[in-house]
Amino acid sequence: MEQGRHKTLSVVIPVYNEERTVCALLDKVVNAAVSVPMEIIIVNDGSTDATPSLCTEWVKKNSAGPHKPVYLTKSNGGKGSAVKEGIRVSTGDVLIIQDADLEYDPNDYEKCIRPILDGECKAVYGSREAENRNRIYSAPSFFLGGLLLTYWINLLYNSNLTDEPTCYKTFDGELIRSIPIDGDKFEWEPEITAKLLRMGFEIREIPVSYFPRKVAEGKKIKWFDGLQGLWIAFYWRFARMGKIRSRTASVSEEFSTVIRAKKKSVCWLWGIVVFAFLLRLAFAWPGLQNPHRMMRPDSAPFLAVAGQGILHEMPSFYRLYPSSLKKWSADTPAFRVVYGNETRAPLYPLWLSVLFGVSGRSLAFAVAAGCLLGALVCVPVFLSGKLFGSDKVGVVAALFLALNPTAVAFSPLFLPDTLFLLIVSLQVYFFLRFIKNAFGLNLITSITLAAFAALIRPANALWVIPCVFVILFFRKLPGRLKVNYGLVSLLIFGMVLFPWMLGSKRAKAGWRIDTISSESLLKNTAALQAEIHGGNAAAAAVELRAEMFRRYEADPQRFATLEAQLAYRDAEMFKLILKHPFRYLALHLNPRILSQDLSGLLYNLDLKKPPSRTWISLLGSLTVLLYMFCALGLGWFFLSAFDRWHWMMLLLFLLLSGYYLLMPGPIAIPRYQLPALPFLCLAAGYGIVFFGAILRRQKVPEGI
């Protein structure tokens, strides 16, 4: 506080045809409860009503006061041009923008300027959304437009704003005067936001009050201003900023440090992505020269759909799997029978079709594209780490993901796991953003991504249920909004899945995404039967399958359709599981679930000769070392959560990792656990950084 009393606040007030409110607003400004002296800069933007004379009279009346009012007049050019003129002549240590209407309360100044005066940040936005979730607004279009612009900027710049179009934008005086602004109208706002975020300056939000006026009362922003704002935000995401950075960095060492830290963060991110891509390419090198090596038995049905006959061109594929893949030849009745009864989810074959379409059906191109997808997973993992309050968390988490043997092994394969992993990692990222700032569009994005992920692996279809459960425990939302968000989540999930499931129903397969999930349920049940009665799970699966076919044959009229057969089989499997629910759950507590697919890496590299023992030992040692660090990080993650009674972090772990560890059932193999990796790596990264901070007696990452 003592430091703040020696500083000044510049209040820049752009004015255009506000004769009804300008004097009342100015009176509110001078009477605002602020702990620092103010300079009030009124910029008349070519008003054509009585505004100029009213402002002139008010300035004369208050010129002897302590707040040093300044009145400027210029030809009409737009709000941005008036703001720029006010910034140019300002001298305050802190600067805030104030519209000349009465929508915002100047008594909120102190809340907005305090973090800047105390040296906590360099920019503060007064948010109408941060706490007041039930606020009123001028019109639904203004409200929705503001949400859309805010979401767009968050998407482009990895920010967590809730109200970018707010009037109350507060800046460090030196900083805002060092940044050139091009926009002359309302687009100046997304422009300055974009520049601040790209240079690495934190924009903190403070809840403020809001009393909207209608268009008929003088509100001037139009729908095309919103479109222009969207374009400007996009433009400045990719426009060159070298000169702007240099100019701002030259103002002070503090600004220069922030800008360098941002550059370093970006370099770390893309450095890890490039490293992950090259690592996956290295382990896929034999597959680039012989793509058939990147295929597994489960690849055949996807290629049969996406490749449009490409199986006929793969004789070496049949040599690799002669017994298990003959049935997939499209010329045989077996293909039509087996594939007709084992339908797969649609998005991965669609992805392969796109790759084959743009590459002339090149298998090597698809292998390289898989490596790229696997590397890109590091991006949302890194960004999720930043949500935990530290670039270091993002770096460690992304490195864990980049080095994970199973993720590396499966990236180049003709299987849906890597595409599924990428979409789930984005789903996790947007859900964490929702938890961070309770911004509803982040939740909608996460739910939509989860629904599309279910069209790759239907195991994701039930994720929405624990998701809604976590929302109900979210303290930042009032009860009514929790219910609304939960219902919207279910609705969006249903809207995405319904068209495909309707097609499945019309094909007489039932309300399903695929039919292979029914086979997985049978195999899980077989594992339980083998545990109870002894014997082999595979043999138990054969017996269960045979028993089902005997029942179908005994009542052909009842089981005339695939839908009836699958519905009956699923019901019978659930009955068997429910007889021994605890034994079934206990089967999930198997350390093998967390095993890494080293054999997959070795197979990709075609390591069969004796010298390969050195490689096997090296890869095994590195995997053990990686596991040790991950275990240490996860241990500290849980310790920190329990120590601070941070139940939301534990709920997030169950939702974003526990679900994917348990959902595949006791037959889980390493690749089925891949979607658990993003949050596992994030939790481990958080724990490692937390542990390091304690050792160095530094500030620990804040978490979600």
Side-chain angles (χ1 to χ4, degrees):
M1 287 293 293
E2 196 62 36
Q3 181 183 4
R5 292 196 183 100
H6 298 289
K7 296 187 176 183
T8 58
L9 168 66
S10 295
V11 182
V12 175
I13 308 174
V15 181
Y16 176 71
N17 290 348
E18 298 287 2
E19 61 182 6
R20 295 172 55 187
T21 59
V22 65
C23 290
L25 179 278
L26 292 172
D27 288 339
K28 280 179 169 286
V29 170
V30 295
N31 292 313
V34 182
S35 60
V36 296
M38 288 190 292
E39 65 170 3
I40 301 172
I41 304 171
I42 307 163
V43 185
N44 172 36
D45 188 40
S47 297
T48 57
D49 61 0
T51 297
S53 59
L54 291 172
C55 288
T56 302
E57 182 179 346
W58 187 91
V59 169
K60 289 181 179 179
K61 181 180 177 182
N62 291 272
S63 59
H67 296 306
K68 300 181 291 184
V70 177
Y71 176 66
L72 307 173
T73 187
K74 58 183 284 298
S75 59
N76 181 252
K79 179 180 178 179
S81 65
V83 168
K84 287 191 290 184
E85 183 65 17
I87 292 173
R88 185 184 66 82
V89 302
S90 67
T91 61
D93 302 281
V94 184
L95 183 145
I96 191 169
I97 309 300
Q98 170 71 64
D99 285 346
D101 51 30
L102 296 172
E103 290 189 325
Y104 294 82
D105 185 359
N107 284 312
D108 287 328
Y109 286 175
E110 183 64 26
K111 292 194 297 182
C112 293
I113 67 175
R114 181 48 49 192
I116 300 176
L117 292 174
D118 291 343
E120 298 174 7
C121 60
K122 297 298 179 183
V124 173
Y125 285 8
S127 173
R128 297 163 289 180
E129 300 294 330
E131 289 183 357
N132 189 15
R133 299 287 171 171
N134 299 309
R135 72 172 177 87
I136 56 176
Y137 40 80
S138 300
S141 59
F142 290 137
F143 176 68
L144 294 175
L147 290 182
L148 179 60
L149 179 59
T150 301
Y151 175 77
W152 181 237
I153 288 176
N154 287 341
L155 193 64
L156 289 172
Y157 298 93
N158 188 41
S159 56
N160 288 291
L161 301 175
T162 61
D163 187 14
E164 194 285 329
T166 179
C167 164
Y168 274 4
K169 290 180 168 63
T170 316
F171 311 98
D172 177 272
E174 284 189 327
L175 175 62
I176 191 61
R177 286 188 287 270
S178 72
I179 303 175
I181 301 173
D182 295 340
D184 285 334
K185 301 185 184 301
F186 291 102
E187 77 274 15
W188 84 272
E189 299 190 61
E191 177 189 341
I192 193 62
T193 301
K195 290 177 177 178
L196 287 170
L197 292 173
R198 277 194 68 185
M199 287 191 287
F201 290 97
E202 175 195 356
I203 299 177
R204 185 172 300 186
E205 288 191 311
I206 298 293
V208 296
S209 53
Y210 183 59
F211 310 95
R213 62 175 177 174
K214 307 295 183 182
V215 174
E217 297 173 317
K219 199 166 186 68
K220 300 174 179 65
I221 195 167
K222 307 296 183 184
W223 64 269
F224 49 80
D225 293 310
L227 293 180
Q228 189 175 28
L230 294 173
W231 160 248
I232 289 297
F234 180 80
Y235 172 80
W236 282 107
R237 181 61 187 86
F238 303 101
R240 293 184 178 181
M241 284 191 53
K243 292 182 178 179
I244 298 173
R245 287 192 182 96
S246 298
R247 175 176 170 176
T248 303
S250 66
V251 172
S252 74
E253 181 59 31
E254 184 180 8
F255 297 167
S256 179
T257 300
V258 171
I259 293 171
R260 285 198 304 269
K262 178 65 175 181
K263 287 183 178 180
K264 184 178 179 181
S265 174
V266 172
C267 288
W268 267 110
L269 169 59
W270 294 111
I272 292 173
V273 171
V274 171
F275 165 73
F277 179 56
L278 294 177
L279 180 65
R280 282 152 177 76
L281 276 182
F283 279 94
W285 186 251
L288 290 172
Q289 301 178 49
N290 178 17
H292 305 144
R293 179 160 291 281
M294 297 296 105
M295 299 177 188
R296 300 295 183 267
D298 286 353
S299 303
F302 300 113
L303 289 164
V305 176
Q308 300 175 354
I310 204 167
L311 284 175
H312 296 295
E313 304 168 9
M314 296 188 285
S316 59
F317 189 21
Y318 289 112
R319 287 198 296 271
L320 289 172
Y321 303 103
S323 60
S324 59
L325 289 174
K326 285 179 181 177
K327 67 179 182 179
W328 294 113
S329 173
D331 290 336
T332 64
F335 173 83
R336 292 190 291 272
V337 173
V338 175
Y339 188 64
N341 288 346
E342 291 187 358
T343 58
R344 306 292 174 124
L347 284 193
Y348 181 66
L350 177 62
W351 165 251
L352 284 180
S353 297
V354 172
L355 294 181
F356 291 152
V358 301
S359 66
R361 297 167 70 187
S362 168
L363 294 172
F365 179 82
V367 170
C371 293
L372 179 60
L373 282 187
L376 289 176
V377 178
C378 296
V379 176
V381 171
F382 179 91
L383 298 179
S384 297
K386 295 191 70 171
L387 291 176
F388 273 68
S390 169
D391 281 351
K392 292 181 181 179
V393 176
V395 168
V396 177
L399 282 173
F400 278 149
L401 192 285
L403 293 168
N404 183 269
T406 303
V408 174
F410 281 90
S411 288
L413 300 189
F414 289 92
L415 291 171
D417 302 279
T418 299
L419 180 62
F420 184 55
L421 175 61
L422 177 61
I423 295 182
V424 168
S425 66
L426 291 168
Q427 163 193 322
V428 168
Y429 167 60
F430 280 100
F431 192 79
L432 291 177
R433 282 176 58 163
F434 168 69
I435 296 299
K436 188 75 173 180
N437 62 6
F439 192 59
L441 288 179
N442 287 328
L443 175 64
I444 290 174
T445 304
S446 180
I447 293 296
T448 304
L449 287 166
F452 279 108
L455 292 176
I456 301 173
R457 280 205 174 279
N460 215 53
L462 295 178
W463 182 81
V464 70
I465 297 174
C467 173
V468 171
F469 177 80
V470 171
I471 292 172
L472 295 178
F473 281 85
F474 191 27
R475 294 181 179 179
K476 292 182 181 179
L477 289 177
R480 184 177 65 84
L481 275 185
K482 290 179 183 179
V483 174
N484 290 346
Y485 281 176
L487 293 175
V488 168
S489 299
L490 294 172
L491 178 63
I492 292 172
F493 217 79
M495 288 173 61
V496 174
L497 298 181
F498 178 76
W500 181 258
M501 295 177 71
L502 178 62
S504 181
K505 175 68 175 177
R506 289 179 174 176
K508 298 185 179 180
W511 292 99
R512 299 172 178 273
I513 299 172
D514 68 357
T515 59
I516 197 67
S517 298
S518 181
E519 177 67 12
S520 298
L521 177 61
L522 183 143
K523 291 179 179 178
N524 279 317
T525 308
L528 175 62
Q529 294 294 95
E531 173 71 16
I532 295 171
H533 303 296
N536 182 272
V542 170
E543 178 58 33
L544 283 174
R545 201 177 293 112
E547 175 63 23
M548 291 298 104
F549 277 109
R550 285 194 291 268
R551 296 185 188 183
Y552 301 157
E553 292 172 356
D555 194 349
Q557 185 174 0
R558 177 184 176 186
F559 300 113
T561 64
L562 179 61
E563 177 179 3
Q565 294 174 12
L566 294 177
Y568 178 78
R569 183 167 79 168
D570 290 351
E572 290 300 303
M573 297 305 105
F574 278 120
K575 286 180 183 178
L576 291 174
I577 290 173
L578 291 177
K579 286 182 179 179
H580 307 279
F582 297 108
R583 292 284 291 274
Y584 183 73
L585 291 175
L587 288 176
H588 292 77
L589 303 177
N590 184 354
R592 183 178 61 85
I593 287 178
L594 296 176
S595 64
Q596 296 298 302
D597 203 344
L598 283 177
S599 61
L601 284 178
L602 299 174
Y603 187 88
N604 291 356
L605 289 173
D606 195 17
L607 294 177
K608 297 180 180 179
K609 300 177 181 179
S612 65
R613 292 178 181 176
T614 303
W615 282 98
I616 294 172
S617 299
L618 178 61
L619 289 174
S621 300
L622 291 175
T623 300
V624 170
L625 186 63
L626 184 70
Y627 251 58
M628 290 175 58
F629 278 104
C630 286
L632 174 65
L634 287 172
W636 274 100
F637 171 84
F638 287 114
L639 282 175
S640 67
F642 282 113
D643 181 62
R644 294 183 287 179
W645 295 93
H646 205 323
W647 297 113
M648 180 54 70
M649 289 177 69
L650 299 176
L651 285 175
L652 289 174
F653 184 89
L654 292 175
L655 173 66
L656 303 177
S657 281
Y659 174 88
Y660 294 108
L661 291 174
L662 297 176
M663 193 59 196
I667 64 165
I669 55 179
R671 71 184 178 98
Y672 291 171
Q673 316 300 334
L674 278 174
L677 277 182
F679 196 82
L680 277 176
C681 292
L682 180 60
Y686 175 85
I688 290 291
V689 175
F690 188 95
F691 179 70
I694 290 178
L695 290 180
R696 299 190 199 94
R697 297 184 179 181
Q698 296 176 346
K699 181 181 178 181
V700 300
E702 61 188 53
I704 289 291

